[in-house]
Amino acid sequence: MKNSRSKAKKKRVVVTLPEREGEMLKAYAKVHQTTCPAAVHRMVKEALKQFKSERNALAKSEPENQLNIFDSIQVDIFNNTSRTRE
């Protein structure tokens, strides 16, 4: 019987940095008392979390009807017009 909690597959990514950025990464890791790979993992994870929240915010916002073809127009008793939104 297999364990139902199998480990998720990890994707290995190789990153090549210029010497200056490598030194900055080492300094960042030292300040945060972690290793360089762990620091990169933390940075990527935070950036992806931010990207996901921005993408979800864009997906939730409805696009405007650019041509106004399907907008309904309402006329009140004083002959004022207004657009209706559903």
Side-chain angles (χ1 to χ4, degrees):
M1 190 167 157
K2 290 186 178 181
N3 188 357
S4 62
R5 293 186 194 181
S6 62
K7 287 190 175 183
K9 290 185 180 180
K10 294 186 178 185
K11 180 77 174 176
R12 184 178 269 299
V13 178
V14 177
V15 178
T16 306
L17 297 174
E19 190 174 343
R20 284 184 180 178
E21 290 178 0
E23 293 300 320
M24 289 297 295
L25 177 60
K26 285 180 188 176
Y28 177 90
K30 187 175 181 180
V31 167
H32 289 88
Q33 298 176 346
T34 187
T35 63
C36 288
V40 170
H41 184 261
R42 181 184 299 166
M43 289 178 203
V44 169
K45 190 173 181 179
E46 287 299 317
L48 291 175
K49 188 187 308 182
Q50 181 180 356
F51 171 75
K52 183 179 178 182
S53 66
E54 289 171 1
R55 192 174 90 181
N56 287 342
L58 285 175
K60 288 180 182 177
S61 66
E62 295 179 18
E64 285 292 322
N65 183 0
Q66 296 178 1
L67 299 177
N68 297 328
I69 295 173
F70 302 107
D71 286 350
S72 300
I73 304 239
Q74 228 174 12
V75 179
D76 63 11
I77 59 172
F78 302 109
N79 209 22
N80 295 327
T81 60
S82 63
R83 295 193 188 279
T84 58
R85 289 194 160 235
E86 293 182 16

